[in-house]
DNA sequence: AGTGTCGCCTGAATGC
DNA sequence: TGCATTCAGGCGACAC
C-alpha cells in the first residue's frame, strides 16, 4: 500500500532514471483507471523533455518542458517499474501505461486494482487542481509542526486515527504510518482528535516525521503489492511496531502476552487499526 | 463544514 | 481440489 515513503522511493528512482530525457512514446492500454484518461494525455507527453520528478503527498509529479506536469498516483496496488535500455519487458495484464524515452528507458505502470490515477495538468494550475487544492502541508517539511497540527485538530470530534488519514490536515499519511505514529507518540487511537494539543501535539507531529523518515530510509514498506521501481522490496516492514501485528508483542514489551493479548486490532472508519492498549492511552 | 458510509477493484487468504 | 466468500484500503461521491 503505497503511502508517502513508498511514493518517495519511487520518485527518487524516477528522477534518477528519467530527468533530462525525452518521452519518445507513451501508450495507454485501457480507457482509464479510477477515471477515464483524458483524450489529450498521450499527445501532451510525447516529445516532452522530463525536467525532474518530485512528490506531493502520495502523488508523483513529472515536470515537463512544456510546463505541463504528468501526475501519477499509485492508489492501492500501483507500481512503477523502470527498465534500462535492452531490458524492456512486454506489457502484462495489468500494465496500463507504458512509456519509452529517447535514451531507451522503459517505464511501466502496473495497477491490478486500478485505484491509481494518471493525468496531466499545467504547473500553473497544479495548486488549484481538485487533487491538491485542499491538501494539507507536507509532513516532512517545516510547515508541519506541533502547533500546526494542534490547530488543525482543534474542534475535531472524530478519533485521532481516522483524523490523521484526512489529507487536508496533513498530506501523505496512510493507514500503516498513522498506526505507527500513534504508537510512537503513545496515543490511544480512539482519543478525540480535538483533545490533542500542546506537548501531545508536539510529540505526535514529531512522531509522524520520525516514522516517515525511517520508512523513506528503508525504501518503504513492502506489504503486499509494493515494490521499489527496480523491483526490490522495501524493508521497513521489518521495523513496524504494531501494524499487522495483532496478538504479538510490541517493541520493548514487558507484559504477559498470554494474559493481555498483546497488540490489539480494532476497526475505525472501516479500516484496521493496530495498537498497544498499555502503551497507548 | 464536519462526519460517516459506501463503492470502486482484483488477488490473496480463508472457509466449506 | 475447487468454488465461494472475505479482506485489504486511498480516495471521491454522497447524505445528513
Amino acid at each position: 500500500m503505497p503511502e508517502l515513503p513508498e511514493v518517495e522511493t519511487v520518485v527518487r528512482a524516477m528522477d534518477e532514471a528519467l530527468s533530462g530525457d525525452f518521452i519518445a512514446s507513451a501508450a495507454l492500454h485501457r480507457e482509464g483507471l479510477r477515471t477515464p484518461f483524458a483524450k489529450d494525455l498521450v499527445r501532451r507527453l510525447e516529445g516532452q523533455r522530463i525536467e525532474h520528478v518530485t512528490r506531493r503527498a502520495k502523488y508523483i509529479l513529472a515536470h515537463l518542458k512544456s510546463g505541463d506536469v504528468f501526475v501519477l498516483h499509485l492508489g492501492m496496488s500501483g507500481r512503477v517499474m523502470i527498465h534500462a535500455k535492452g531490458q524492456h519487458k512486454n506489457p502484462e495484464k495489468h500494465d496500463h501505461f507504458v512509456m519509452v524515452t529517447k535514451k531507451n528507458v522503459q517505464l511501466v505502470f502496473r495497477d491490478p486494482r486500478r485505484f491509481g490515477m494518471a493525468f496531466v495538468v499545467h504547473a500553473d494550475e497544479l495548486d488549484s487542481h481538485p487533487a491538491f487544492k485542499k491538501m494539507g502541508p507536507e509532513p516532512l517539511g517545516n510547515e508541519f509542526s506541533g502547533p500546526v497540527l494542534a490547530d488543525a485538530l482543534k474542534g475535531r470530534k472524530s478519533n485521532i486515527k481516522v483524523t490523521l488519514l484526512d489529507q487536508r490536515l496533513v498530506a501523505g499519511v496512510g493507514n500503516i504510518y498513522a498506526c505507527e505514529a500513534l504508537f510512537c507518540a503513545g496515543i490511544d487511537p480512539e482519543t478525540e482528535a480535538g483533545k490533542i494539543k500542546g506537548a501531545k501535539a508536539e510529540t505526535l507531529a514529531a512522531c509522524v516525521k520520525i516514522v516517515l523518515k525511517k520508512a523513506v530510509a528503508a525504501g518503504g514498506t513492502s506489504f503486499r503489492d509494493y515494490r521499489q521501481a527496480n523491483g526490490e522490496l522495501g524493508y521497513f516492514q521489518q521495523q513496524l511496531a504494531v501494524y499487522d501485528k495483532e496478538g504479538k508483542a510490541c517493541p520493548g514489551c514487558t507484559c504477559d502476552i498470554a494474559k493481555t493479548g498483546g497488540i490489539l486490532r480494532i476497526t475505525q472508519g472501516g479500516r484496521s487499526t493496530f495498537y498497544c492498549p498499555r502503551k497507548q492511552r
Side-chain angles (χ1 to χ4, degrees), chain A residues 137-139 141-152 201-202 204-206 209:
Chain A
E138 281 294 320
N142 292 331
E143 64 273 25
F144 181 68
S145 64
V148 167
L149 177 61
D151 194 53
E202 286 286 357
L204 182 53
K209 288 173 189 277

Side-chain angles (χ1 to χ4, degrees), chain A residues 35 47 135 156 162 172 175 188 194 204-205 217 224 233 241 258 281:
Chain A
T35 52
M135 193 175 270
R156 293 272 197 148
V162 167
N175 205 38
D188 182 340
L204 182 53
R224 290 179 178 83
L233 294 162
R281 351 180 111 253

Side-chain angles (χ1 to χ4, degrees), chain A residues 162-173:
Chain A
V162 167
T163 308
L164 268 184
L165 299 178
D166 188 336
Q167 302 297 299
R168 291 168 298 182
L169 208 139
V170 53
V173 178

Side-chain angles (χ1 to χ4, degrees), chain A residues 82-134:
Chain A
I82 296 169
H83 305 122
K85 185 177 179 177
Q87 299 179 340
H88 293 193
K89 301 284 189 292
N90 288 324
E92 293 180 26
K93 189 178 174 188
H94 300 296
D95 295 345
H96 311 307
F97 172 83
V98 178
M99 74 180 206
V100 178
T101 69
K102 203 167 166 182
K103 290 181 184 166
N104 251 311
V105 174
Q106 182 197 45
L107 180 146
V108 178
F109 178 62
R110 177 178 299 175
D111 184 11
R113 270 165 276 185
R114 306 211 294 271
F115 281 21
M117 291 178 242
F119 58 91
V120 171
V121 58
H122 196 274
D124 295 341
E125 289 154 15
L126 196 64
D127 290 342
S128 58
H129 187 278
F132 305 103
K133 195 173 179 183
K134 294 176 180 174

Side-chain angles (χ1 to χ4, degrees), chain A residues 2-256:
Chain A
E3 300 179 30
L4 187 152
E6 292 73 40
V7 177
E8 178 65 25
T9 303
V10 170
V11 161
R12 288 179 185 181
M14 284 178 65
D15 192 50
E16 175 75 23
L18 302 172
S19 289
D21 205 351
F22 292 79
I23 301 172
S25 70
L28 300 167
H29 294 171
R30 56 179 302 115
E31 300 293 305
L33 292 167
R34 277 185 62 105
T35 52
F37 292 127
K39 296 238 185 311
D40 62 354
L41 178 57
V42 166
R43 180 179 62 73
R44 285 168 77 170
L45 295 179
E46 283 183 337
Q48 284 299 320
R49 181 185 143 105
I50 299 167
E51 301 292 335
H52 53 282
V53 182
T54 63
R55 179 188 59 74
R56 173 77 171 107
K58 301 172 196 170
Y59 291 81
I60 298 164
L61 309 176
H63 303 262
L64 308 178
K65 183 74 162 56
S66 59
D68 273 341
V69 181
F70 177 42
V71 183
L72 267 177
H73 192 292
L74 302 176
M76 276 294 302
S77 57
R79 197 178 146 187
V80 167
M81 294 171 288
I82 296 169
H83 305 122
K85 185 177 179 177
Q87 299 179 340
H88 293 193
K89 301 284 189 292
N90 288 324
E92 293 180 26
K93 189 178 174 188
H94 300 296
D95 295 345
H96 311 307
F97 172 83
V98 178
M99 74 180 206
V100 178
T101 69
K102 203 167 166 182
K103 290 181 184 166
N104 251 311
V105 174
Q106 182 197 45
L107 180 146
V108 178
F109 178 62
R110 177 178 299 175
D111 184 11
R113 270 165 276 185
R114 306 211 294 271
F115 281 21
M117 291 178 242
F119 58 91
V120 171
V121 58
H122 196 274
D124 295 341
E125 289 154 15
L126 196 64
D127 290 342
S128 58
H129 187 278
F132 305 103
K133 195 173 179 183
K134 294 176 180 174
M135 193 175 270
E138 281 294 320
L140 295 180
N142 292 331
E143 64 273 25
F144 181 68
S145 64
V148 167
L149 177 61
D151 194 53
L153 296 176
K154 202 185 294 175
R156 293 272 197 148
K157 297 286 178 202
S158 52
N159 66 65
I160 184 61
K161 159 67 190 323
V162 167
T163 308
L164 268 184
L165 299 178
D166 188 336
Q167 302 297 299
R168 291 168 298 182
L169 208 139
V170 53
V173 178
N175 205 38
I176 296 174
Y177 300 110
C179 291
E180 293 296 311
L182 286 171
F183 175 81
C184 161
I187 295 172
D188 182 340
E190 305 257 42
T191 308
E192 186 180 313
K195 296 201 168 153
I196 293 171
K197 43 191 139 182
K200 259 215 150 66
E202 286 286 357
T203 305
L204 182 53
C207 278
V208 167
K209 288 173 189 277
I210 290 166
V211 167
L212 291 176
K213 275 182 192 166
K214 281 187 182 172
V216 169
T221 301
S222 280
F223 218 71
R224 290 179 178 83
D225 309 287
Y226 171 75
R227 293 286 185 285
Q228 298 189 48
N230 59 9
E232 282 177 28
L233 294 162
Y235 48 95
F236 189 69
Q237 64 274 16
Q238 295 163 8
Q239 296 177 56
L240 291 174
V242 289
Y243 187 82
D244 204 39
K245 306 261 185 196
E246 185 180 15
K248 294 185 178 160
C250 60
C253 181
T254 54
C255 67
D256 183 355

